[in-house]
Amino acid sequence: MRRSSIQSACRKSLASFLFAVTVAALVGSRAAAQDLDGAPSTGQEEVRVLYEDFLHFARLGKFTEANAYANRLLEHSDLSPATLLQIADTDSNSVATLITLIGHTSLREPAQRVLDLIREGEFIQRQDVSRIRANVEKLSGPPQMEYNAIQRLKESGEYAIPVMVETLQTPNSPELSPRIIRALPQLGKAAVSPLVIALNTSNADVQRDLVWALGEVGYPQAIPYLLKLMQNPNLPAESMRTARESLQRIASTSDRPAAESAIEAFMRLANQYYNEQGSVKADPRIPIANVWYWEEERLNAKQVPTEIYGSIMAMRACEEALILQPNCREAIALWLAANFRREARLGMDVESIESDSGTDADSTRPVDFPRSIYFARSAGPEYCHLVLGRAVKDLDKDVALGAIAALDLVAGEPSLIGLEDFKQALVKALEFPDTEVRIKAAIALARALPQASFTGSDLVAPVLAEALLQGSNEQYLVVDADRENVNRIAQGLRESGATVVAESNFYVAMDRMRSELPAVSGIILSTDLQTPALNTALVELREENRLSRVPVIVLCRAGQEYRAEANESDRQLRMLQATATADEIKAAMTSLDTKSGGNKLSGKLADELALRATDAILGLAIDGKSSIDVTPTIGAIISSLSSPVQELQVKAARTLAAINSADGQRATCELALNPGNNTELRIAAFEALAESAKRHGNLLLPAQASEIVKAAIETADLTMRTAASQALGALNLTSNEASEIIRRFYRG
């Protein structure tokens, strides 16, 4: 069947489905839709007609006509959420139809906009205080009226609680109070958040009634607040008994025993909020969430973006724990982590101390509330480690970056590195799946200049090298037993500007890779490897730290797919046909890299981290006593000499001067001698070469030494000639260059 025929059949089938499920809604509707050019008499009537026509044609599968009516509806000047909700309520199947249209038709976008307006209308209606008050009053009516009122109050959910509690506290409504008390538990889970805050009421009778209601609702979210209440020495005996009974009912209903203490209960709740577990998570369909406060003997809500609700409530539960136990270590650490996450979700830079307008969206914080990193720095290294440990476990990039930034500024070697469990977080961050986190963790460790050896010290230099190569070209390792195929792939990758090590022997390729590729972007292996076999090769690759997260493409030859299937659990591995092109291989690499979070950095951030990493390496090299070996970074530093960022080139040259490396000194010499470089860069390179020679002696090739002599004698620019002569003197060559230079200026 042709594609168009299939699409037509599917469309007819969907139209039939829509018509079938909503046929009841069409009974009594107009036999034919009004013409688009028709003009009903009033604005609200126009909105009603357009809405009905939109659904009518959508149910018939006439999507072009339905779309036209939807557009007119959405553009109508009298359209409002409240009006649309009222109209939608007259058709019990309209919302179901909209959901079907969103999920299965080309009308997804207009149907979604219409549904969003209806949801907004429901949200507005839920908050209507006058409507809530009327329904609270109706609780005192006959049974049917009371039942209907409870249903309406359930629709209002948490917004009904302030009015109900306020009415309970009003002395002139004694006949209504028993009905309100009986209705409170029927509001269910939605009632818990405001009710636990309303326990702060000074009215002992109302407080006892709220305690009873929380027990009837049965949600464990109330447990820490009830335990806290029971610690009040002035709590009346009857209220204490009611609280115990409510705790027992909650434990029985939720099948969870109450915590031994209020502190433990608050910390359990704080973790639930932080992890956004289903029982306490804000409704993601609603853009705002309420954080309840007890102010002037009444409940008040502060509305915040739903994205930060869990963080704010986690902080709040931690604060409750700290009120009860000021030195609660877990509460401090979790509060700091939640604060970092709160800022990140508000679009703020968690590493910054500067004020940010992003915090305006959080009405729970005072105007002068400090930034998250202020609190982390003040707390000190131990708590920053605990925060980082949680972030590494959760793979939470933003919290990790905040914790590392704080550690980098306040922690020295004794605080950063040690045998204590909590100090292992920074080392573990070196293997974090996100590139930025790895690099910043390595920089923090390097800046501490650790003298004692520590587990993971060998990971620091490769990650620093990774930082230097973020802006460089791609580097690939290709191993294919088929020499012709390995050459084909290597040529295609090189044509795209990549550096490639290509071999038919795995171990030969690995040896070359270690010396020629400072940072491997991707690895390509074939299924017909023999020495070793593919699976063994993959195991050995992953055992090498710097290759543990590198994307791997396995080129499968016909009938050999099974050789790679044992490694399907490797999230950084993908199989392609052996005939795949270089472009197809690179696209697969990019897909794997993005999925793992190990994205290559670019632009300003890549340059900034490369500069910071170079400074850290220079510090290690000058110190000379650190347990971190800078040797694995030499190739990356040499690559940085060709960076388009001159500041990085200069820093790289100065860093190489501090390292005893023949390759480094020779590369710096080439930078200085290159006439294509500007004067400033060449002078800086000559100065770095002189420093290298003073520290490590002459490591240049004879031809390079001759060029230095020539530059010191013949360079026209006096400043550059002086710099070259400085390098020449530091090299301390055995030939008589000094005599030659003096004689050159002989004038008789």
Side-chain angles (χ1 to χ4, degrees), residues 141-293:
Q144 187 59 48
M145 180 182 288
E146 180 185 15
Y147 173 82
N148 291 336
I150 291 174
Q151 300 311 304
R152 300 289 81 77
L153 291 172
K154 288 170 68 174
E155 291 173 2
S156 292
E158 61 183 334
Y159 293 100
I161 301 300
V163 176
M164 297 173 80
V165 172
E166 179 187 344
T167 307
L168 283 175
Q169 294 186 125
T170 304
N172 60 3
S173 58
E175 73 286 347
L176 187 55
S177 294
R179 302 287 187 94
I180 293 175
I181 295 167
R182 190 164 64 223
L184 278 172
Q186 298 186 57
L187 271 63
K189 174 185 168 184
V192 178
S193 291
L195 281 179
V196 295
I197 302 303
L199 291 177
N200 290 299
T201 178
S202 60
N203 187 317
D205 292 334
V206 172
Q207 185 183 69
R208 185 177 63 255
D209 293 333
L210 300 184
V211 168
W212 174 84
L214 285 168
E216 292 298 306
V217 173
Y219 273 86
Q221 179 184 350
I223 290 175
Y225 293 94
L226 293 174
L227 290 170
K228 175 188 173 184
L229 182 67
M230 292 171 66
Q231 292 186 8
N232 181 0
N234 298 319
L235 189 69
E238 188 176 350
S239 295
M240 180 70 75
R241 183 172 59 255
T242 303
R244 287 198 190 96
E245 292 171 353
S246 290
L247 282 171
Q248 291 173 357
R249 280 198 297 276
I250 293 172
S252 175
T253 302
S254 62
D255 197 25
R256 299 181 195 172
E260 293 180 0
S261 71
I263 295 171
E264 291 173 345
F266 273 120
M267 289 313 303
R268 183 170 66 240
L269 180 60
N271 278 287
Q272 289 172 341
Y273 275 123
Y274 185 83
N275 295 325
E276 297 178 311
Q277 294 182 0
S279 61
V280 297
K281 183 179 180 180
D283 189 341
R285 299 170 300 177
I286 301 175
I288 62 169
N290 293 318
V291 180
W292 293 95
Y293 292 87

Side-chain angles (χ1 to χ4, degrees), residues 308-497:
I308 66 171
Y309 176 77
S311 299
I312 290 172
M313 295 302 289
M315 293 168 67
R316 198 177 197 188
C318 288
E319 290 162 6
E320 292 282 5
L322 290 171
I323 295 297
L324 297 170
Q325 183 181 315
N327 63 345
C328 182
R329 189 164 168 260
E330 182 189 358
I332 295 171
L334 181 52
W335 190 96
L336 295 171
N339 199 23
F340 276 131
R341 179 180 285 181
R342 179 188 68 87
E343 282 197 353
R345 292 190 176 181
L346 288 171
M348 301 165 69
D349 179 3
V350 296
E351 299 173 89
S352 174
I353 198 69
E354 302 298 328
S355 59
D356 192 309
S357 60
T359 195
D360 294 346
D362 183 1
S363 58
T364 67
R365 304 295 110 181
V367 175
D368 58 348
F369 192 70
R371 295 296 305 275
S372 58
I373 199 168
Y374 160 84
F375 292 101
R377 290 177 187 171
S378 301
E382 178 180 351
Y383 291 105
C384 292
H385 274 296
L386 293 172
V387 173
L388 181 57
R390 178 183 288 271
V392 170
K393 181 181 177 182
D394 295 342
L395 299 182
D396 190 321
K397 173 182 177 178
D398 296 312
V399 175
L401 289 176
I404 291 171
L407 279 169
D408 195 17
L409 286 173
V410 302
E413 179 189 0
S415 300
L416 279 182
I417 302 161
L419 299 177
E420 299 95 327
D421 287 342
F422 71 87
K423 290 184 180 178
Q424 304 308 307
L426 194 56
V427 175
K428 290 179 181 178
L430 294 172
E431 299 184 274
F432 199 87
D434 184 86
T435 304
E436 184 180 355
V437 172
R438 288 198 303 277
I439 291 173
K440 288 182 175 178
I443 291 172
L445 284 165
R447 279 163 48 93
L449 300 176
Q451 307 297 299
S453 180
F454 61 94
T455 301
S457 61
D458 58 324
L459 300 177
V460 178
V463 177
L464 292 173
E466 185 181 1
L468 296 178
L469 292 164
Q470 287 301 304
S472 65
N473 63 339
E474 304 288 344
Q475 301 185 1
Y476 294 107
L477 174 67
V478 183
V479 188
D480 191 332
D482 184 336
R483 172 58 66 177
E484 183 177 342
N485 200 46
V486 81
N487 289 337
R488 176 186 68 83
I489 294 170
Q491 180 180 351
L493 293 172
R494 289 184 181 120
E495 287 175 354
S496 70

Side-chain angles (χ1 to χ4, degrees), residues 515-636:
S515 62
E516 298 178 31
L517 302 182
V520 181
S521 309
I523 299 170
I524 299 99
L525 304 176
S526 65
T527 52
D528 56 355
L529 293 181
Q530 297 297 324
T531 308
L534 174 64
N535 286 338
T536 302
L538 286 167
V539 170
E540 294 188 20
L541 282 175
R542 293 312 190 201
E543 287 177 347
E544 193 154 332
N545 286 321
R546 71 181 183 125
L547 303 179
S548 61
R549 295 174 304 274
V550 174
V552 174
I553 300 299
V554 174
L555 300 176
C556 298
R557 290 192 160 78
Q560 296 183 356
E561 289 80 5
Y562 68 94
R563 296 184 181 180
E565 289 173 355
N567 300 279
E568 285 182 329
S569 60
D570 188 337
R571 297 178 59 192
Q572 281 290 77
L573 182 146
R574 179 168 297 176
M575 294 184 286
L576 296 178
Q577 293 299 313
T579 55
T581 66
D583 287 342
E584 290 171 337
I585 291 171
K586 289 187 68 175
M589 291 278 189
T590 301
S591 175
L592 285 171
D593 206 29
T594 302
K595 184 185 296 184
S596 71
N599 52 301
K600 186 170 182 178
L601 306 177
S602 60
K604 183 179 179 181
L605 179 59
D607 295 340
E608 176 198 334
L609 291 182
L611 290 168
R612 288 175 57 187
T614 306
D615 286 337
I617 297 168
L618 177 58
L620 291 168
I622 292 174
D623 176 73
K625 300 175 183 177
S626 173
S627 59
I628 298 174
D629 179 15
V630 299
T631 304
T633 69
I634 293 174

